[in-house]
């Protein structure tokens, strides 16, 4: 009897569905341009977004914002922000609301070609040297370290 029931269970057993991919992997798939994804990753992302409409909308909005960042298309920011605020994803609504608090700076950052990134990098480097030297030397030695450090 035991053998027959074991065979019956084995023959009628429904295989367990594969576990869902980790959230970090799905986020990486969304942030990667579709042309750079492997075929199996693209298929897995299509399967996941086919089951969840919110994830599909979030992926489209994230890709559109990434395109605006990479290609400096700030003129599309207003339309994107209104779509994000109408989105069912609360994180995107909050992000769009945060962008609107400093709208002029965000628009300038997405449209103007120049950046203060190099200056910010030097300021960060100087602050790091200052933290390393805290309590160890006077301003003249700090000045020498900042000027001689590469």
């Amino acid at each position: 009897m035991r053998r027959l029931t074991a065979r019956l269970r084995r023959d009628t057993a429904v295989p367990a569905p594969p576990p869902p991919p980790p959230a970090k992997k799905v986020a990486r798939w969304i942030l990667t341009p579709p042309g750079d994804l492997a075929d199996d990753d693209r298929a897995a992302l299509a399967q996941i977004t086919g089951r969840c409409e919110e994830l599909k909308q979030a992926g489209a909005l994230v890709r559109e914002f990434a395109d605006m960042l990479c290609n400096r298309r700030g003129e599309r920011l207003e339309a994107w922000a209104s779509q994000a605020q109408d989105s069912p994803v609360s994180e995107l609504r909050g992000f769009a609301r945060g962008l609107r608090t400093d709208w002029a700076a965000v628009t300038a950052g997405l449209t103007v070609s120049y950046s203060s990134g190099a200056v910010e990098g030097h300021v960060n480097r100087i602050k790091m040297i200052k933290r390393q030297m805290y309590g160890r030397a006077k301003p003249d030695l700090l000045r020498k370290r900042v000027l001689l450090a590469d």
Side-chain angles (χ1 to χ4, degrees), residues 71-131:
N71 299 318
R72 297 206 182 272
R73 294 191 174 122
E75 66 274 359
R76 299 187 330 201
L77 184 63
E78 180 64 41
W80 183 89
S82 63
Q83 283 180 341
Q85 285 185 327
D86 295 339
S87 169
V89 181
S90 63
E91 289 82 1
L92 284 174
R93 288 194 308 262
F95 181 69
R97 196 170 34 253
L99 290 179
R100 291 198 187 276
T101 60
D102 200 7
W103 192 255
V106 173
T107 305
L110 290 175
T111 54
V112 178
S113 62
Y114 55 87
S115 171
S116 64
V119 174
E120 294 294 332
H122 288 297
V123 168
N124 189 27
R125 180 180 59 86
I126 291 170
K127 286 181 178 182
M128 182 197 63
I129 293 171
K130 183 180 171 184
R131 277 188 229 110

Side-chain angles (χ1 to χ4, degrees), residues 47-68:
Q47 182 183 16
I48 290 170
T49 55
R51 287 186 278 165
C52 181
E53 186 62 32
E54 287 182 6
L55 189 60
K56 186 175 186 177
Q57 290 177 0
L61 286 170
V62 166
R63 283 196 176 130
E64 187 177 346
F65 190 77
D67 182 56
M68 282 191 296

